Amino acid sequence: MKLSADLQSALDASANAPSDADLARRAVGMLDLTSLNGDDSDRVVQDLCARAVTPAGPVAAVCVWARFVPTARKALDGTPVKIATVVNFPTGEADASSVAAETRRAIADGADEIDVVLPYKAFIDGARTQPINVLKACREACGDKALMKVILESGAFPDADLLAWASRDAIAAGADFLKTSTGKTQPAATLPAAAVMLDSIYESGKPVGFKASGGIRDAAEAARYLALADGILGDGWATPNTFRFGASSLLDSLLSAAGHGEREGEREPAPAGGY
């Protein structure tokens, strides 16, 4: 993905980002601990939730299939960890009314955050009205009850200009966050795509967050994403309210870097198609 000179400079600077214990602890609090496997079960979700309050502090959220939201709500009762789920996932091909109904059900079951897939195939093929109507329907269904994170599936976009256009449309439709990927296609999250999306947030002047999701597996890579956000949006911009990592396999690396290592007797759920 070809970037402007300014974005390429920010990307180059992020390559040397230091990864230390403080950075790792910071990143733990920005993690959406995720399991979106086809064979997930109540037990898998319960185990995931058990990992969400760590020796380095709680993660930001757990992200699970909508049918497991009540399970997660019960397991996380009394913790500050939010519950996220996905709608119009992973293909982005549902219509606006179906997306709205799916969103309302998830919120009624206890979801705090909705990760909705932009109809990215239609958008890439030239459609504009239908994709934005889907996002507007989700936004209306979320109201003030849930955050709306829009998954652009950035790896499917052929160039930076089209990805920036999709980012602007998602922001105009009311996105609270822009998210890179479903984790179900390749490439998933990439630093060049993140640069385009972060720059779109900067240019909008709106309080929109960013979520890097899919394939981010170690503390060193997390450090590069945070450095990129700092370079484009300013030091200290990235907090759990504005920046998330969508991952399952990243947590152990962050805990190790923070000086905690893997907790005895715990096993991580298998990554969900790139998570």
Side-chain angles (χ1 to χ4, degrees):
M1 184 173 286
K2 185 173 177 58
L3 302 178
S4 69
D6 287 346
L7 288 186
Q8 187 61 52
S9 177
L11 184 64
D12 292 344
S14 73
N16 298 316
S19 176
D20 57 21
D22 288 341
L23 182 285
R25 283 189 288 269
R26 179 186 177 201
V28 166
M30 300 176 184
L31 183 62
D32 285 4
L33 193 59
T34 300
S35 189
L36 295 168
N37 295 310
D39 60 352
D40 281 349
S41 64
D42 285 332
R43 178 57 187 271
V44 167
V45 171
Q46 289 162 353
D47 289 347
L48 186 78
C49 292
R51 304 183 74 235
V53 179
T54 83
V59 303
V62 297
C63 186
V64 296
W65 293 111
R67 64 185 180 274
F68 296 117
V69 166
T71 301
R73 173 59 66 195
K74 182 176 180 181
L76 291 167
D77 185 44
T79 78
V81 179
K82 302 297 185 183
I83 298 168
T85 192
V86 290
V87 304
N88 202 23
F89 188 92
T91 62
E93 294 175 346
D95 60 28
S97 61
S98 298
V99 169
E102 190 179 3
T103 300
R104 287 191 293 267
R105 285 194 300 271
I107 293 171
D109 284 341
D112 301 300
E113 301 178 0
I114 301 295
D115 290 23
V116 57
V117 180
L118 171 79
Y120 64 92
K121 296 173 187 175
F123 189 94
I124 291 168
D125 286 343
R128 297 295 178 264
T129 302
Q130 183 264 346
I132 204 166
N133 283 346
V134 166
L135 298 187
K136 286 180 175 179
C138 185
R139 174 73 273 168
E140 184 177 359
C142 285
D144 60 1
K145 298 177 181 177
L147 287 180
M148 183 174 82
K149 305 201 214 65
V150 177
I151 306 171
L152 300 182
E153 200 66 289
S154 57
F157 281 75
D159 58 65
D161 288 343
L162 194 59
L163 179 58
W165 191 345
S167 298
R168 292 192 296 268
D169 275 8
I171 293 170
D176 294 305
F177 273 72
L178 300 181
K179 176 178 172 181
T180 57
S181 319
T182 62
K184 300 293 187 182
T185 65
Q186 294 299 323
T190 66
L191 284 159
V196 173
M197 295 165 68
L198 288 163
D199 185 60
S200 297
I201 291 168
Y202 174 78
E203 292 293 336
S204 77
K206 294 184 177 181
V208 177
F210 171 77
K211 180 174 174 178
S213 186
I216 302 168
R217 303 192 185 282
D218 60 53
E221 190 171 10
R224 289 192 285 272
Y225 277 93
L226 287 174
L228 182 64
D230 287 344
I232 294 172
L233 284 151
D235 289 345
W237 174 82
T239 72
N241 292 327
T242 58
F243 192 104
R244 301 285 182 85
F245 293 105
S248 58
S249 55
L250 177 59
L251 180 58
D252 284 337
S253 178
L254 293 176
L255 290 176
S256 179
H260 298 289
E262 186 173 352
R263 287 172 287 172
E264 185 177 355
E266 287 188 344
R267 290 195 176 180
E268 177 184 355
Y275 279 101

